[in-house]
Amino acid sequence: MNLIFLGPPGAGKGTQAKMLGDRRGLVQLSTGDMLRAAAAAGTEVGRKAKEVMDRGELVSDDVVVDIISHRIDEPDCADGFILDGFPRTVAQAEALDRLLDEKAKTLDAVVVMNVDDGRLVERITGRFTCANCGEGYHDTAKRPAVEGVCDRCGSTEFTRRADDTEETVRSRLETYHAQTAPLVDYYKARGKLRAVDGMAGIETVAEEIDEVLENA
Ligand code: ADP
Ligand code: ADP
Ligand code: ZN
């Protein structure tokens, strides 16, 4: 099964993609994670991307389409994947349609997580991540069971993203509404859209995703 998780920054895409991926054996493909890895590696693409990301703007369509196109060819994607944070523009969605066609793959559904802008600011400013395994946490909504120790891997090192500040969140939200929200209609028109209430608790959202995917 090949899916897209769509929603504003902080909606819970990464959290739910990891959980659904574990439940169903699907690979999570996060363009944000891939771009941050490129930035950390100090590649030309990564350095340029970091400047754009720190402003809360979008990296160019060509760059992300190229990354995703290659990543989907990896053997671990054969049994299905969840695109988390891609596509983010109509041009990316059109490019994805073309490349799935070429690779004889199908898109089964697009799950959109709806969360009010006001709530997203606290989601993002409270977000932190295990530096070792990438498990996501939140200052109030999801703390490790043992303080300072990752539930998943036992690591004691955590990181916060450079772009997870209140200021940058505002521009990321503007970018979302201007450039990414049109994808809701794009996928609705193609009969792929499944909406869930992203304001609910993490476990409730996970259950709702299972429900909307029953007939996908
Ligand atoms: P969030 O999960 O908060 O939405 P991401 O990790 O998905 O954030 O993305 C972080 C940043 O990486 C974005 O603000 C953008 O600059 C860049 N980025 C990620 N995915 C894409 C994409 N598909 N197209 C363009 N830029 C992207
Ligand atoms: P996205 O990938 O869409 O940017 P994340 O999955 O990283 O969003 O979630 C953003 C933050 O909000 C994280 O700190 C995460 O632990 C927390 N979070 C995710 N889903 C929920 C939820 N349903 N309720 C409360 N907090 C949540
Ligand atoms: Zn961990």
Side-chain angles (χ1 to χ4, degrees):
M1 176 178 256
N2 301 322
L3 304 170
I4 292 172
F5 277 10
L6 184 64
K13 303 180 297 295
T15 302
Q16 296 296 337
K18 284 194 181 67
M19 291 167 72
L20 186 72
D22 286 351
R23 293 203 292 286
R24 303 201 182 193
L26 306 172
V27 187
Q28 175 201 12
L29 302 182
S30 160
T31 40
D33 285 348
M34 294 173 201
L35 291 167
R36 280 185 290 279
T43 64
E44 171 87 14
V45 166
R47 277 203 308 274
K48 280 191 187 147
K50 188 172 186 329
E51 284 175 25
V52 177
M53 292 162 82
D54 285 346
R55 289 199 301 269
E57 294 168 10
L58 293 183
V59 174
S60 79
D61 292 333
D62 293 351
V63 167
V64 288
V65 168
D66 191 56
I67 292 177
I68 281 294
S69 176
H70 287 98
R71 184 64 186 84
I72 286 177
D73 290 336
E74 299 285 322
D76 63 340
C77 291
D79 295 334
F81 51 79
I82 304 170
L83 293 169
D84 160 13
F86 177 93
R88 259 175 151 98
T89 63
V90 172
Q92 289 178 22
E94 289 168 349
L96 177 65
D97 284 345
R98 281 195 299 274
L99 71 86
L100 290 177
D101 243 20
E102 283 163 20
K103 298 176 198 293
K105 291 181 186 287
T106 51
L107 174 65
D108 296 285
V110 178
V111 177
V112 60
M113 292 164 209
N114 294 314
V115 179
D116 296 346
D117 281 10
R119 186 71 66 84
L120 294 169
V121 176
E122 61 190 57
R123 289 262 180 105
I124 288 180
T125 52
R127 167 160 63 189
F128 61 99
T129 306
C130 172
N132 177 51
C133 76
E135 180 73 2
Y137 295 95
H138 189 273
D139 289 332
T140 52
K142 188 188 164 194
R143 301 193 64 86
V146 177
E147 197 59 39
V149 182
C150 176
D151 296 344
R152 187 185 274 236
C153 77
S155 167
T156 53
E157 302 251 336
F158 297 87
T159 57
R160 288 182 192 257
R161 280 167 47 179
D163 60 341
D164 275 354
T165 61
E166 183 155 355
E167 227 188 338
T168 315
V169 177
R170 304 267 173 220
S171 71
R172 284 160 67 197
L173 284 174
E174 273 174 36
T175 303
Y176 177 81
H177 290 297
Q179 301 195 58
T180 309
L183 294 181
V184 171
D185 284 339
Y186 183 92
Y187 288 115
K188 199 185 278 173
R190 287 159 180 74
K192 300 286 186 193
L193 198 76
R194 311 278 188 278
V196 300
D197 175 14
M199 306 277 281
I202 292 174
E203 295 299 332
T204 308
V205 177
E207 284 165 22
E208 211 192 326
I209 290 172
D210 274 330
E211 278 165 29
V212 300
L213 290 180
E214 249 165 46
N215 315 309

